[in-house]
Amino acid sequence: MQQRQMGKNGPKISAIGLGAWPIGGGMGPVEEAEAITTVRSAIDAGITFLDTAQAYRTSEDTLGKALSDGYRERCFLATKVSGRYSRRDIEEAMDNSLRALGVEHVDLYQIHSWNPQYPIAESMEAMLRLQEAGKTRYIGVSNYNAAQMQKALQTGLFHSNQPRYNLFARDIEAQDLPFSGQNGIGILAHSPLAKGLLTDKYRPGHIFPDADERSGFPQFQGEIFNRHIAIANRLGLLAADKGLSLLQLAIAWILRREEVSCVLVGAKSETQVLQYLGAVGAEFSSGELADIDKILLGEADD
Ligand SMILES: NC(=O)c1ccc[n+]([C@@H]2O[C@H](COP(=O)([O-])OP(=O)(O)OC[C@H]3O[C@@H](n4cnc5c(N)ncnc54)[C@H](OP(=O)(O)O)[C@@H]3O)[C@@H](O)[C@H]2O)c1
């Protein structure tokens, strides 16, 4: 597995990471035994960066079980404090996460989102104190834009930001990606498969069950869903010309940016995990990138 540096001065991490939201049940139920196999097969395959969060339902507990038998020492473990960011909230959330995960420390602790109700200086000081106390090796943020990262940097240094970034969600390219690059902050890209739209799995009219978060997302309903599927199909043809599957193209396209330290892909099974591996090392000519842009803009011929 390719290793990349997390930001300018951070540790080396695997270029593909396992996102542990699906094994928490947020995209439909996953049996615990299947979840444990998924995590362990990812680590065995070199996908050693694991990402979870306080808010990911049963994910931290399940990860804790998967990381026994020596797997903890072989991975880079990241979690997040979710929603409330007072000093006390952050300290309590950290202790709860360590307990659920069954570990003494995590490798990266992240503030899950920007919340203007909590002064960023207080939140960042709490994060820095947890780092000093050895409960986390590194600290980071998530879903912050450039202005929010700038404010957080006024209190102290952090190594990573975790924004959504995929072929259908490119809004970070204008300001946030360049800001991260200029300030040595590593990008951990979340939702790289657009939550399944970029996998060649779904056909128009598919209905997601209530227990799956996608049942409530507009891009998975009606005409918008069908339009995304049509674009994904065109991208799939371009991928096939390169000897890649659609999801491998989607991951490789994110890895083309040097600001990206890791692409966090969610998976529900060992089979899904193993399909990621072929994405690493794929490169794009400027002509291919222009063709992708045309497809995304709906300008490509059928
Ligand atoms: N910081 C944040 O606010 C935030 C937000 C979202 C995500 N994240 C992080 O980013 C990670 C990745 O995002 P995500 O899990 O939400 O979405 P994603 O990676 O874009 O999509 C994951 C889903 O795609 C489908 N899939 C995966 N591999 C596949 C394969 N080989 N073939 C066919 N389908 C496949 C699976 O669902 P089905 O099989 O059911 O289709 C899987 O649950 C998360 O797990 C989490 O760690 C962070």
Side-chain angles (χ1 to χ4, degrees), residues 18 28-30 55 82 87 105 120 123 131 146 154 190 200 210 228 267:
L18 179 70
V30 178
S82 309
R87 177 185 168 182
H105 72 274
I120 183 63
S123 308
Q131 190 179 22
Q154 285 164 12
H190 79 61
D200 198 24
D210 290 347
H228 278 106

Side-chain angles (χ1 to χ4, degrees), residues 18-22 27 51-52 56 80 112 142-143 162 189-196 199 201-202 212-214 247 264-268 271-273 275-276:
L18 179 70
W21 164 240
M27 300 175 84
D51 179 70
T52 184
Y56 288 2
K80 316 181 193 76
H112 204 147
S142 169
N143 298 311
Q162 185 182 137
H190 79 61
S191 311
L193 306 179
K195 294 199 171 276
T199 62
K201 182 169 172 181
Y202 295 107
D212 186 323
E213 61 173 344
R214 293 171 287 192
L247 72 91
L264 298 171
V265 195
K268 292 173 162 174
T271 310
Q272 290 191 341
V273 162
Q275 289 173 16
Y276 305 152

Side-chain angles (χ1 to χ4, degrees), residues 168 197-198 227-237 246 295:
F168 289 137
L197 285 173
L198 292 163
R227 204 162 58 239
H228 278 106
I229 297 295
I231 292 174
N233 288 343
R234 289 194 195 113
L235 292 169
L237 295 177
L246 173 59
I295 292 171

Side-chain angles (χ1 to χ4, degrees), residues 19 40-41 56 81 93 95 131 173 246 274 277 292:
R40 292 185 171 182
S41 56
Y56 288 2
V81 49
D95 287 340
Q131 190 179 22
E173 288 179 351
L246 173 59
L274 297 180
L277 299 173
I292 289 173

Side-chain angles (χ1 to χ4, degrees), residues 3-299:
Q3 304 290 305
R4 291 189 172 194
Q5 194 156 15
M6 189 172 76
K8 192 169 169 214
N9 302 309
K12 288 274 169 85
I13 55 175
S14 57
I16 298 182
L18 179 70
W21 164 240
I23 64 161
M27 300 175 84
V30 178
E31 292 288 331
E32 187 177 88
E34 179 85 24
I36 290 172
T37 304
T38 304
V39 173
R40 292 185 171 182
S41 56
I43 297 172
D44 288 339
I47 298 173
T48 50
F49 189 108
L50 306 182
D51 179 70
T52 184
Q54 176 189 6
Y56 288 2
R57 304 189 186 181
T58 54
S59 175
E60 288 186 326
D61 284 313
T62 305
L63 265 187
K65 290 176 189 160
L67 295 181
S68 59
D69 298 337
Y71 278 89
R72 164 66 184 113
E73 291 69 33
R74 295 167 57 195
C75 74
F76 186 95
L77 182 56
T79 191
K80 316 181 193 76
V81 49
S82 309
R84 302 211 315 248
Y85 307 119
S86 72
R87 177 185 168 182
R88 193 160 161 215
D89 291 323
I90 290 174
E91 287 172 356
E92 278 180 13
M94 173 58 115
D95 287 340
N96 289 337
S97 287
L98 293 179
R99 206 172 307 116
L101 289 161
V103 298
E104 302 271 306
H105 72 274
V106 293
D107 298 303
L108 175 68
Y109 200 47
Q110 306 154 96
I111 301 178
H112 204 147
S113 55
W114 180 263
N115 185 337
Q117 285 176 15
Y118 300 91
I120 183 63
E122 178 186 333
S123 308
M124 279 296 293
E125 273 163 24
M127 298 289 284
L128 290 162
R129 258 198 291 267
L130 291 176
Q131 190 179 22
E132 277 160 27
K135 293 189 178 185
T136 183
R137 291 169 60 211
Y138 301 95
I139 58 174
V141 298
S142 169
N143 298 311
Y144 275 30
N145 64 29
Q148 292 160 347
M149 286 188 270
Q150 177 78 70
K151 286 187 184 136
L153 283 172
Q154 285 164 12
T155 304
L157 290 180
F158 57 94
H159 280 85
S160 61
N161 183 30
Q162 185 182 137
R164 175 172 58 218
Y165 186 40
N166 62 54
L167 282 156
F168 289 137
R170 302 180 63 172
D171 44 316
I172 68 166
E173 288 179 351
Q175 293 182 346
D176 307 339
L177 267 182
F179 180 91
S180 301
Q182 284 151 20
N183 288 277
I185 296 166
I187 293 291
L188 313 173
H190 79 61
S191 311
L193 306 179
K195 294 199 171 276
L197 285 173
L198 292 163
T199 62
D200 198 24
K201 182 169 172 181
Y202 295 107
R203 297 290 169 262
H206 184 91
I207 305 287
F208 291 87
D210 290 347
D212 186 323
E213 61 173 344
R214 293 171 287 192
S215 62
F217 291 167
Q219 66 269 38
F220 289 90
Q221 329 292 329
E223 269 316 297
I224 309 177
F225 181 57
N226 296 348
R227 204 162 58 239
H228 278 106
I229 297 295
I231 292 174
N233 288 343
R234 289 194 195 113
L235 292 169
L237 295 177
L238 192 146
D241 285 345
K242 286 176 69 62
L244 299 174
S245 66
L246 173 59
L247 72 91
Q248 289 167 345
L249 175 111
I251 296 169
W253 180 85
I254 298 171
L255 285 170
R256 85 199 187 286
R257 295 288 304 228
E258 61 179 18
E259 301 93 332
V260 172
S261 304
C262 183
V263 176
L264 298 171
V265 195
K268 292 173 162 174
S269 66
E270 178 177 26
T271 310
Q272 290 191 341
V273 162
L274 297 180
Q275 289 173 16
Y276 305 152
L277 299 173
V280 177
E283 289 181 3
F284 296 91
S285 67
S286 52
E288 286 169 336
L289 290 174
D291 288 345
I292 289 173
D293 288 347
K294 273 194 209 162
I295 292 171
L296 293 172
L297 289 169
E299 293 171 0

